[in-house]
Amino acid sequence: MRKTDGFTGTGALVRLALRRDRIRIPVWVVSVVGLLYFSAASQPGLYQTQEQIDAYGRMVTQSSATVAIAGPVTGLDSLRGIVMYETYLTVISAVSILAVLMMSRHTRAEEESGRTELLRATEVGRHAGAAAALIATSGTCLLIGAGMALVLPATPLTLADSLVYGAAMSALGIFMAALTLCFAQVFVHSRSVSGAGLAAFLVFYLVRAIGDVRDDATVWFTPIGWAQATRVPTEDRLWPVLLPLLGSVLLLAVAVRLAERRDFGAGLLPSRSGPARASRLLSGPVGLAWRQQRGALLAWSVALGLCGALIGTLGTSMQDMVRDNPALADYLASTQAGSVIDAYQATFALIMTLAIAGYAIWAAGRVLTEEGEGRTELVIAGPVGRVRSVVSDLVVAGGGVLVLLVVAGFSSGASYAAVVGDRAQGLRILVAPLIYFPAIAVLLGVLLLAYGWAPHWTWVGWLVLAFEVVIGWLGGVLGLPDWIYQFSVFDRAPRYPAEDLSAAPLLAMGAGAALLLSVGLVGFRRRDLR
Amino acid sequence: MDAAISVSGLVKRFGRFTALDRLDLKVEVGEVHGFLGPNGSGKSTTIRVLLGLLRADAGQVRVLGRDPWRDAVRLHRHLAYVPGEVSLWPNLTGGEVIDLLARMRGGVDEGRRADLLERFELDPTKQCRSYSKGNRQKVALVAALSADVELLLLDEPTAGLDPIMEAEFQEVAREEVARGRTILLSSHILAEVESLCGRVSIIRDGRTVSAGRLRDLRGLSRTSVTVRLQRQDELGDVPGLRVLDVVDGEIRAEVDSDRIGAVMALFAERGIESLVVHPATLEELFLRNYDDPGGVKHGVPTRPGLPA
Ligand SMILES: Nc1ncnc2c1ncn2[C@@H]1O[C@H](COP(=O)(O)OP(=O)(O)O)[C@@H](O)[C@H]1O
Ligand SMILES: [Mg+2]
């Protein structure tokens, strides 16, 4: 066998991948580049005088919290610096998530479905599928980089800034894709592959946050640190872009080694045998749903617990900063309702909650994949009604959401109370994420409404979530018009502890969610099973 | 007693495509009813309507005296189902799936479960993702057959089984019927249905083209024979034997199944050199009886004189 035999047929498979993703790729590229452009282009309107720019710089420099979230401070004495600081987080997340999801979709998901088997029986080499997936994904990342280099010079950024920024983001995406390829050799399920990829991203992000706050060499242990080592806009260094590329080559070598060691369809670990009998818990649709979701719930709990703990402890630096800098305190007080700490905690509660909403849609979305795979049929052909089957999944998903909300609140509240010694504030932080439960229920309601009446439209659930993320996470940055906020469910929840609690909007949301869920269930009872 | 399944004039459309076009089906209590039709003729669609998974566009559908769409849950307590494409939860073991499905149906019959696992040679400790198609089918079969139900709806249940397991399945199915259960067995292979089913319904393009007792269906009960004899003289006009052609001394013929013994004796007298016998396939049946496929589409009458 010649060395290149393993790659025979790569070209055809690349074309197949592009054909399958002919809608997805343009949507990703346009939305990432577009969002970036609008957010960058809106900055001059927000900071019109040098004084305002300097105030922004002072605020960021002195707060380890913001540094932890958005990265190291470079060139914040100019609008270019502000643009970078405000957009880095978004682009880094978008490109990494894109790379992970697209790779997992084109590698393990295909293998798992059996379609790869069909192709591999033709004149297609062992590594052709992986190579094609990597080429398609890297190509998409490069398109995003190229798009950035093209449009960003129309914002405060210079051409050199844009080129280096784009190159760094493309390289990061390629690195994440190569890493995901390794995971695809190890794990048998595409869900585990994408889960591992996203978890790796969170770890990279946390390591970077710690490194940036400590301002030491820790940042060199994460690809996100490499991307930010380009120091746009002050230095525009291009050489750090080589690091992720070199890393990708190494990862590729690892992936090839792993792939040659495993059987088709298998992972690296041999599949274990399991119990011959079902446990008492696994006796009905609820037990079944729990069994399918418990692994992910555990992983999410750990991740959120760590994030929450980090956020809670960073609260102190915020407090120190306000104590030492009365001018800043005034500035913050004028922009936010309530105390600085409250505003900080309320913002983080919202961010964590939006992530949990993502879990909610993922977990409830299980109903859909189950139906597509023909497993719902097995359950419903027993004496289990349609409503009971779906409600069981929803109850388990909703219960998982509650657990995560409590974990998020508890970890940030308890760590804050421990570090600062302020129990009362700790308690308020603990409650904050729980207030968003009705809002998440509304999202689930939208998902179920689509599921019941138009099962091909369930992506609407993700669309609504994306809208909420843009509004809640980036709304202030983007400077969106006020009327848009009317359509946001999350925006209607009181931003506790920054705002006072009020029951009315929460009850209204709860009623809305109940209505959506019931109408969705009625639809599901009336339609054909796919 | 009422029929276990009675369907008349069933219509099911998917958008503009009519999958079932005034289909009739009647299954009596206590019989194994063969549900025959070529691929894509609407067998699975019919069964999914019988389960209330799909909603009928027109026609009468009663299963165990109930309307499957309205009364699905109560109906399902009394029936078990094996889908044509069995998809299982990859991270559960086969044993867990069997228990899960049985418990949702009200409980596990321990003796029956153990017996079936042994007879189908199924390892219940393996995770479903590592099962082959045949083994996934066995999981669904064990779950369905160990349930305490009146009616079994089996959609091509032997498609992935090897011949030994297929024989085992037929054995188990006979036991089930002996215990008073009713089985609807869909298949596109005539031979499989022949050994198990007393009565069959044959559908094509979503319509019932033929229904009745198997041996009464004239075309069905013929057997194809290819034989080479030492002495070919005076074979002449044998009742029940229809010679199709003779090539190089090899005779291809069709024999009415009730005359097969007599015909074989005749062959034996003349010294058999080689003999191949196979039952008529569904395809042959269609070719023989409904040469014009267009004619089938526009309504071949259910064969006259057959008990419906
Ligand atoms: N959900 C569906 N949407 C559209 N067409 C369908 C659907 N399900 C089945 N069909 C069509 O209905 C016809 C009958 O299918 P099916 O009942 O699966 O046939 P069989 O089980 O006899 O092989 C086929 O032509 C098939 O393509
Ligand atoms: Mg079928």
Side-chain angles (χ1 to χ4, degrees):
Chain A
M1 193 177 104
R2 274 179 299 134
K3 258 255 142 72
T4 53
D5 277 0
F7 294 93
T8 310
T10 304
L13 293 188
V14 171
R15 285 193 294 278
L16 176 65
L18 296 181
R19 170 69 178 68
R20 288 184 63 209
D21 279 359
R22 67 192 187 285
I23 310 269
R24 275 167 207 252
I25 293 175
V27 166
W28 268 103
V29 172
V30 169
S31 42
V32 172
V33 175
L35 191 64
L36 179 58
Y37 170 78
F38 285 114
S39 132
S42 68
Q43 299 303 328
L46 294 176
Y47 306 96
Q48 285 163 345
T49 66
Q50 187 61 38
E51 248 162 43
Q52 283 171 323
I53 293 174
D54 290 342
Y56 180 94
R58 267 200 310 280
M59 177 188 79
V60 170
T61 327
Q62 291 174 11
S63 155
S64 9
T66 40
V67 170
I69 295 163
V73 175
T74 37
L76 276 187
D77 51 357
S78 74
L79 260 180
R80 289 154 69 207
I82 294 184
V83 166
M84 290 309 295
Y85 201 77
E86 293 279 347
T87 58
Y88 244 146
L89 166 62
T90 322
V91 188
I92 284 173
S93 316
V95 170
S96 305
I97 292 171
L98 158 80
V100 168
L101 294 184
M102 189 164 166
M103 273 311 276
S104 148
R105 177 174 142 78
H106 284 287
T107 53
R108 186 51 85 161
E110 285 295 288
E111 190 166 336
E112 200 182 358
S113 75
R115 287 189 287 266
T116 308
E117 187 162 351
L118 211 59
L119 292 171
R120 277 276 294 278
T122 66
E123 209 172 311
V124 158
R126 174 173 305 146
H127 304 303
L134 193 67
I135 290 171
T137 309
S138 306
T140 308
C141 294
L142 287 172
L143 267 183
I144 291 180
M148 288 168 65
L150 210 64
V151 304
L152 287 183
T155 71
L157 293 183
T158 64
L159 180 63
D161 297 340
S162 313
L163 281 172
V164 177
Y165 193 5
M169 292 302 105
S170 301
L172 174 66
I174 293 172
F175 180 86
M176 291 306 292
L179 182 67
T180 311
L181 185 61
C182 289
F183 289 142
Q185 312 308 314
V186 177
F187 296 105
V188 184
H189 290 299
S190 59
R191 281 193 163 211
S192 317
V193 174
S194 47
L198 295 179
F201 172 70
L202 281 182
V203 169
F204 290 153
Y205 202 83
L206 276 179
V207 171
R208 186 211 52 75
I210 292 165
D212 280 336
V213 171
R214 298 199 340 206
D215 199 13
D216 64 7
T218 315
V219 290
W220 291 101
F221 289 96
T222 152
I224 302 175
W226 303 340
Q228 299 193 325
T230 50
R231 302 250 175 90
V232 183
T234 44
E235 297 179 41
D236 286 347
R237 299 192 292 191
L238 202 52
W239 64 263
V241 172
L242 290 176
L243 289 174
L245 295 181
L246 282 177
S248 309
V249 173
L250 285 180
L251 286 171
L252 274 185
V254 172
V256 168
R257 276 310 249 319
L258 293 177
E260 277 172 351
R261 222 161 258 228
R262 71 181 181 92
D263 287 338
F264 178 82
L268 281 183
L269 310 169
S271 77
R272 289 165 293 133
S273 35
R277 303 306 306 258
S279 73
R280 194 165 294 251
L281 210 57
L282 185 60
S283 303
V286 172
L288 180 61
W290 164 246
R291 184 65 188 271
Q292 304 297 338
Q293 295 180 20
R294 64 181 185 186
L297 184 61
L298 183 69
W300 273 79
S301 301
V302 171
L304 272 175
L306 288 175
C307 287
L310 187 76
I311 291 163
T313 49
L314 288 177
T316 28
S317 16
M318 200 74 184
Q319 209 174 39
D320 293 347
M321 181 186 75
V322 177
R323 201 176 43 230
D324 299 345
N325 189 343
L328 181 64
D330 290 345
Y331 170 76
L332 282 172
S334 69
T335 57
Q336 305 274 6
S339 80
V340 181
I341 298 292
D342 282 349
Y344 170 83
Q345 302 288 4
T347 304
F348 272 101
L350 175 63
I351 289 176
M352 285 197 287
T353 315
L354 284 168
I356 295 173
Y359 170 84
I361 299 219
W362 174 86
R366 199 187 75 87
V367 193
L368 312 172
T369 45
E370 288 285 291
E371 188 184 350
E373 297 280 323
R375 293 192 279 256
T376 306
E377 187 168 317
L378 274 182
V379 173
I380 292 185
V384 173
R386 293 178 177 220
V387 172
R388 193 176 142 214
S389 157
V390 174
V391 167
S392 303
D393 277 315
L394 284 180
V395 164
V396 175
V401 166
L402 270 180
V403 167
L404 290 180
L405 290 172
V406 169
V407 165
F410 181 79
S411 58
S412 45
S415 60
Y416 182 87
V419 172
V420 182
D422 182 350
R423 283 246 192 104
Q425 180 70 6
L427 208 64
R428 297 174 65 186
I429 298 169
L430 199 156
V431 180
L434 280 171
I435 289 163
Y436 288 96
F437 186 68
I440 295 183
V442 171
L443 285 200
L444 288 180
V446 171
L447 180 73
L448 198 77
L449 185 71
Y451 177 66
W453 291 92
H456 293 294
W457 284 65
T458 40
W459 49 266
V460 166
W462 289 107
L463 191 73
V464 175
L465 176 64
F467 171 75
E468 293 290 353
V469 168
V470 169
I471 298 274
W473 209 327
L474 310 169
V477 178
L478 297 177
L480 297 169
D482 282 346
W483 58 264
I484 283 194
Y485 288 85
Q486 294 198 331
F487 296 100
S488 163
V489 190
F490 279 71
D491 195 60
R492 295 189 176 225
R495 285 210 172 184
Y496 190 79
E499 291 172 18
D500 286 336
L501 271 185
S502 55
L506 298 181
L507 289 177
M509 276 188 243
L515 184 70
L516 288 167
L517 289 170
S518 331
V519 175
L521 281 175
V522 168
F524 182 56
R525 284 182 63 171
R526 290 169 48 92
R527 73 170 170 86
D528 286 346
L529 212 61
R530 276 182 296 150
Chain B
M1 181 154 183
D2 275 353
I5 297 174
S6 73
V7 172
S8 66
L10 173 59
V11 176
K12 177 67 202 173
R13 289 187 205 94
F14 295 111
R16 233 174 285 155
F17 175 74
T18 304
L20 300 179
D21 184 12
R22 284 167 287 156
L23 180 126
D24 301 318
L25 174 67
K26 190 158 196 182
V27 178
E28 301 295 342
V29 171
E31 72 167 333
V32 186
H33 193 97
F35 191 37
L36 277 165
N39 290 325
S41 54
K43 301 182 295 294
S44 301
T45 305
T46 308
I47 292 182
R48 298 178 90 223
V49 171
L50 294 179
L51 282 162
L53 299 177
L54 303 182
R55 183 178 211 165
D57 289 313
Q60 297 287 318
V61 181
R62 309 293 289 178
V63 181
L64 300 176
R66 297 173 197 272
D67 176 344
W69 181 260
R70 293 247 177 80
D71 227 0
V73 175
R74 247 168 302 163
L75 169 64
H76 292 171
R77 206 160 288 151
H78 305 285
L79 62 78
Y81 166 55
V82 175
E85 280 283 317
V86 182
S87 166
L88 303 172
W89 296 271
N91 56 344
L92 301 188
T93 65
E96 285 180 306
V97 171
I98 292 170
D99 283 345
L100 171 70
L101 293 177
R103 284 175 195 168
M104 287 199 287
R105 205 168 262 120
V108 189
D109 180 342
E110 295 292 342
R112 188 82 180 136
R113 179 187 189 277
D115 177 48
L116 286 167
L117 280 179
E118 191 177 326
R119 290 171 72 176
F120 283 119
E121 294 171 15
L122 184 70
D123 177 359
T125 65
K126 275 198 176 164
Q127 297 203 313
C128 290
R129 73 165 72 97
S130 61
Y131 281 134
S132 65
K133 175 174 162 62
N135 279 336
R136 287 201 305 272
Q137 214 145 20
K138 287 183 197 173
V139 170
L141 271 172
V142 171
L145 291 169
S146 61
D148 181 20
V149 293
E150 294 166 38
L151 175 65
L152 292 163
L153 298 176
L154 312 179
D155 192 0
E156 307 201 16
T158 59
L161 300 187
D162 61 46
I164 300 176
M165 285 304 131
E166 197 176 329
E168 195 61 53
F169 162 75
Q170 297 198 349
E171 191 55 40
V172 175
R174 277 192 202 97
E175 291 169 19
E176 294 297 317
V177 177
R179 295 206 272 170
R181 293 186 182 157
T182 310
I183 300 180
L184 179 68
L185 175 67
S186 98
S187 176
H188 64 275
I189 305 164
L190 192 55
E192 174 179 289
V193 164
E194 224 161 6
S195 68
L196 261 182
C197 305
R199 290 176 353 114
V200 296
S201 294
I202 301 178
I203 67 166
R204 191 176 203 192
D205 293 333
R207 310 197 63 172
T208 313
V209 290
S210 186
R213 282 196 304 174
L214 199 53
R215 74 175 102 98
D216 293 335
L217 298 182
R218 190 151 39 90
L220 287 180
S221 52
R222 282 210 201 120
T223 305
S224 297
V225 173
T226 309
V227 67
R228 186 188 286 275
L229 301 175
Q230 283 165 354
R231 289 183 294 122
Q232 285 184 28
D233 51 309
E234 66 201 274
L235 203 54
D237 198 15
V238 182
L241 176 73
R242 191 154 70 98
V243 176
L244 298 176
D245 58 13
V246 182
V247 181
D248 289 344
E250 198 169 70
I251 306 167
R252 288 204 311 121
E254 287 177 346
V255 186
D256 287 351
S257 294
D258 53 351
R259 298 278 310 154
I260 195 126
V263 172
M264 285 301 142
L266 213 72
F267 286 167
E269 275 169 25
R270 284 158 178 78
I272 299 174
E273 276 186 351
S274 73
L275 176 67
V276 179
V277 180
H278 70 88
T281 62
L282 197 58
E283 293 70 30
E284 285 170 330
L285 172 80
F286 280 122
L287 285 179
R288 246 178 256 157
N289 290 306
Y290 318 108
D291 284 342
D292 168 24
V296 170
K297 217 167 192 133
H298 301 110
V300 165
T302 301
R303 297 188 70 79
L306 288 176

